[in-house]
Amino acid sequence: MKNIIIFASGSGSNAENIAQYFKDSITIKVVAVFTNNALAGVINRMEKFNIPCIIFNREEYKNETLFLNKINTFEPDLIVLAGFLWLVPEYLVNTFPNKIINIHPALLPKFGGKGMYGMHVHQAVKQAKETETGITIHYVNNRFDEGKTIFNAKTSLTENDTPESIATKIHELEMAHFPRVIEGLLSN
Ligand code: GAR
């Protein structure tokens, strides 16, 4: 069995989609969700899957021994960031080389970096009059959105698109591709 830990800070639609996809898998299991936000929607979403949610604060996150102990309890083969907004500390990247991935709602390196998440990204894409956007799934290093790309999917945009319609298009790409990319990585 390959174990996935998901890190999420918000609504958790990606976490739910991943949990749903692997619900009956005999080879891949979502073993825990870690969240830095006690009010995150992801906590409710995980209830029906009986997936434990571990809530942590900045101090716990900075405490290498404590945090690694918590993570290692679940013996992860892959850590998946799905709308997780804190930078991943160096100790975590070093402990899990090429085992932490993130999804970003744009075609990196465009529209990435600190503060570029959710609607901020779609607003920036609209403002830049882009004719296409997409998703980037990439390995995580200790800088925002800079690790090696694993997968991209694109969607075209027209001048009639709004930040909201861009968000809808991105959401569809995320739902269609993220679990399958994860499955591919864990099948190697
Ligand atoms: C997703 O669109 C994800 O790509 C984005 O946050 C959203 C989380 O939605 N991540 C970033 O912007 C990271 N920079 P969700 O909580 O419903 O899965």
Side-chain angles (χ1 to χ4, degrees):
M1 186 65 86
K2 298 277 178 77
N3 293 334
I4 298 172
I5 293 179
I6 298 176
F7 276 48
S9 301
S11 160
S13 69
N14 278 284
E16 179 168 5
N17 187 44
I18 296 163
Q20 179 67 36
Y21 187 87
F22 293 113
K23 185 167 60 84
D24 300 318
S25 169
I26 51 168
T27 52
I28 296 174
K29 185 173 158 87
V30 178
V31 287
V33 168
F34 277 61
T35 183
N36 60 313
N37 177 3
L39 301 174
V42 72
I43 297 169
N44 269 343
R45 289 187 193 257
M46 287 306 111
E47 269 174 22
K48 60 177 172 291
F49 300 101
N50 277 323
I51 295 173
C53 280
I54 287 78
I55 302 165
F56 61 93
N57 60 29
R58 281 253 185 230
E59 239 153 79
E60 290 165 312
Y61 195 45
K62 276 191 212 152
N63 186 329
E64 181 169 339
T65 313
L66 179 144
F67 201 73
L68 283 178
N69 268 339
K70 280 194 190 198
I71 296 270
N72 284 329
T73 320
F74 296 99
E75 300 181 345
D77 296 285
L78 193 68
I79 296 175
V80 174
L81 312 189
F84 179 66
L85 301 185
W86 285 359
L87 199 62
V88 175
E90 204 158 336
Y91 76 80
L92 212 49
V93 176
N94 293 340
T95 308
F96 298 100
N98 284 340
K99 285 188 175 179
I100 310 178
I101 67 168
N102 178 46
I103 189 161
H104 187 78
L107 297 171
L108 291 174
K110 284 182 168 181
F111 309 107
K114 192 170 163 57
M116 284 305 250
Y117 60 89
M119 285 308 287
H120 298 288
V121 176
H122 311 313
Q123 277 153 3
V125 167
K126 170 72 188 164
Q127 204 157 7
K129 298 185 166 50
E130 294 291 301
T131 54
E132 64 173 14
T133 188
I135 59 171
T136 305
I137 297 169
H138 64 93
Y139 288 109
V140 168
N141 62 19
N142 63 334
R143 296 156 78 106
F144 278 112
D145 304 323
E146 286 190 17
K148 185 169 170 273
T149 295
I150 301 163
F151 176 87
N152 282 123
K154 294 179 183 176
T155 182
S156 54
L157 299 175
T158 71
E159 57 193 28
N160 294 329
D161 272 302
T162 60
E164 289 72 25
S165 72
I166 297 172
T168 303
K169 288 178 172 179
I170 291 298
H171 182 73
E172 281 166 11
L173 290 180
E174 293 187 334
M175 295 299 112
H177 295 289
F178 202 11
R180 267 184 268 179
V181 171
I182 292 168
E183 190 173 38
L185 288 173
L186 288 173
S187 306
N188 287 334

